[in-house]
Amino acid sequence: VAPVLTTLSMFDLNDLDAPPVSVAVMGRTNGMYATPENVYFASSNTGYGIDEFGEIVRNGFLDTDIHKLAISEDALEYRGSGTVEGSLGHDPERIAFRMSEYKDHLRVISSQGWGDRWGKLGDHRLTILGESEGNDLLLRTVSILPNAQRPDPIGKPGEQIHGVRFHGKRGYVVTFVRVDPLYALDLADPTDPSILGELEIEGFSDYLHPVGENLLIGIGMGAIADEETGNTWFQGVQVGLFDVSAPAAPVLLHMEQIGERGTSTSVMATHRAFTSVPGDPANGEPMRFTIPVSEHGPEDDILDPRPFHTYPWKSTGIVMFDVNESEGGLSTMELTGRANVASVDTVDPDYASFYQYPYEDHGRSAIYGDQVFHYFRGGLFMTEWAGNQFIAADNCPLCEPGQ
């Protein structure tokens, strides 16, 4: 296999003729995470061990190499490398959310993939890395969780990680196989992380979004467990608001299900499809957010009792939400508007597939004051906040359904 170099380059936008400043790391990269001060490259690979004859052999487990590069105004500096046991996955979008820097430490969530590497400590692990003292260019392991003193696993046997979000001194992890445990982690002391609490609900959250210090939005799918077959059937898109002010006991404040089985949102493929503007609780102004949705549902409003039944496509557009933060009171989330770019009533059946299965980059919104601008498949649309109808931009042939 030919050697691979991963190169990070910095360009001076005020002097485009100047040569870029570059630094390279040997090896491929699965994903990256960046702060204003540092960039981290992550690369998963099959780990090595020593066999009974003292030979170095592949052990079949996955490890992830992490390389740290510092950014300054006119230079890039290699700061060191370290290794965490397990994999961060293969989706660059999700890999970025599995890493977080806080006060000179990098927090990483990894999964063992296959085998039984960690035994009763479970399938998933938090590793906290920090630069070692001296000048050896190593990122040392400061702590791991679970561990011998704190053995409770992150996730139950067989559960996969769906959502990860770090927020200051806390971390949140969603695992799922039949129900959705939301785990709250205490990361205030990098030498002694711990699980603060957990909350189980039906379905799961793929994307987590903090609102202030005490609220968390979760976007994912509803699910129904089939006790007879042991299967779990995904249902419609699920949007939840959680109170994490007491992280030892997270509380679900509100859950909204959009559509039935077959409904999807591209937020589950990329966080860039989630659009929000902060609120001003002191002045009673809510936080606002929108998500794109391709909605499926019954044609005659009669639900099929079979949880595995997939419903036909009905419409594609955006859903708008207000989140009202309350200090000491009950925070709320309200679905305030829905606007469609196309529906089964406006699109020729020959073109329905363009809307029924939108690609992850086909729905992007911008909130400006009390207006929402939405891009979809080359078309630009506008609606008032909490509105129910889009207005297409002038001279926009791609805005017409079926084009």
Side-chain angles (χ1 to χ4, degrees):
V1 179
V4 176
L5 282 177
T6 300
T7 304
L8 178 68
S9 298
M10 181 168 62
F11 296 85
D12 185 350
L13 298 182
N14 295 316
D15 185 5
L16 296 179
D17 293 328
V21 177
S22 300
V23 63
V25 174
M26 180 68 76
R28 61 184 175 84
T29 297
N30 299 111
M32 63 177 289
Y33 163 76
T35 72
E37 295 80 25
N38 299 298
V39 173
Y40 295 88
F41 292 145
S43 176
S44 295
N45 53 75
T46 303
Y48 290 84
I50 306 296
D51 66 11
E52 64 269 25
F53 304 105
E55 299 291 332
I56 299 176
V57 295
R58 290 179 180 266
N59 59 22
F61 296 121
L62 293 174
D63 290 330
T64 299
D65 296 327
I66 296 179
H67 311 287
K68 179 179 181 179
L69 307 169
I71 307 170
S72 62
E73 186 173 343
D74 56 3
L76 298 172
E77 180 186 4
Y78 172 70
R79 297 294 300 172
S81 299
T83 300
V84 301
E85 292 185 4
S87 169
L88 276 61
H90 303 286
D91 183 349
E93 286 271 352
R94 296 176 185 269
I95 288 174
F97 282 92
R98 286 198 175 201
M99 295 185 280
S100 171
E101 184 183 77
Y102 184 72
K103 292 188 176 180
D104 299 324
H105 290 93
L106 181 71
R107 295 87 62 90
V108 183
I109 293 286
S110 62
S111 302
Q112 68 175 354
W114 59 79
D116 191 22
R117 186 177 196 176
W118 301 324
K120 294 181 179 180
L121 298 181
D123 297 328
H124 312 294
R125 162 181 285 192
L126 166 75
T127 303
I128 299 181
L129 301 174
E131 291 188 26
S132 61
E133 297 179 0
N135 193 29
D136 54 10
L137 299 178
L138 292 177
L139 301 180
R140 64 185 177 90
T141 298
V142 177
S143 61
I144 62 172
L145 183 74
N147 53 54
Q149 289 70 42
R150 300 185 184 276
D152 291 341
I154 302 172
K156 296 174 176 57
E159 291 181 342
Q160 301 297 312
I161 287 181
H162 277 262
V164 177
R165 193 64 184 251
F166 294 96
H167 187 55
K169 296 181 289 185
R170 293 184 193 167
Y172 303 97
V173 180
V174 170
T175 61
F176 176 80
V177 67
R178 292 175 69 81
V179 294
D180 166 3
L182 167 67
Y183 292 89
L185 309 180
D186 180 4
L187 309 176
D189 181 355
T191 67
D192 186 27
S194 63
I195 297 175
L196 288 171
E198 65 178 277
L199 171 68
E200 288 191 358
I201 61 172
E202 293 183 348
F204 64 89
S205 297
D206 243 16
Y207 175 70
L208 302 172
H209 189 90
V211 181
E213 295 297 321
N214 298 322
L215 298 175
L216 190 68
I217 295 168
I219 298 173
M221 303 293 290
I224 295 177
D226 188 334
E227 300 300 335
E228 292 185 4
T229 65
N231 295 323
T232 300
W233 303 99
F234 297 156
Q235 302 300 304
V237 169
Q238 194 165 267
V239 182
L241 180 68
F242 301 90
D243 184 339
V244 290
S245 59
V251 176
L252 175 64
L253 296 177
H254 183 78
M255 182 66 75
E256 191 81 38
Q257 179 169 310
I258 304 167
E260 303 299 333
R261 179 170 168 82
T263 302
S264 64
T265 173
S266 49
V267 173
M268 293 177 60
T270 172
H271 67 282
R272 295 174 179 84
F274 179 92
T275 303
S276 67
V277 293
D280 184 359
N283 292 314
E285 296 180 4
M287 175 266 193
R288 292 174 167 177
F289 72 94
T290 72
I291 63 171
V293 172
S294 174
E295 184 175 351
H296 291 231
E299 297 175 304
D300 52 8
D301 295 327
I302 299 176
L303 294 177
D304 193 302
R306 299 169 300 173
F308 53 82
H309 176 73
T310 300
Y311 292 88
W313 174 73
K314 294 183 66 177
S315 62
T316 294
I318 65 169
V319 182
M320 294 163 266
F321 290 88
D322 281 350
V323 175
N324 291 282
E325 304 172 64
S326 176
E327 294 292 338
L330 184 64
S331 298
T332 61
M333 181 180 73
E334 180 184 3
L335 193 160
T336 57
R338 310 170 73 141
N340 295 325
V341 298
S343 71
V344 68
D345 298 323
T346 62
V347 174
D348 187 300
D350 292 338
Y351 295 99
S353 61
F354 288 105
Y355 302 93
Q356 184 175 355
Y357 306 109
Y359 293 105
E360 64 183 54
D361 60 349
H362 275 177
R364 295 291 185 274
S365 298
I367 303 171
Y368 183 76
D370 287 329
Q371 295 178 321
V372 182
F373 297 88
H374 184 65
Y375 168 86
F376 184 85
R377 290 189 64 247
L380 183 63
F381 306 83
M382 187 275 289
T383 185
E384 297 295 325
W385 185 259
N388 59 10
Q389 183 176 1
F390 271 124
I391 299 173
D394 293 337
N395 301 317
C396 178
L398 292 177
C399 292
E400 295 297 324
Q403 297 300 313

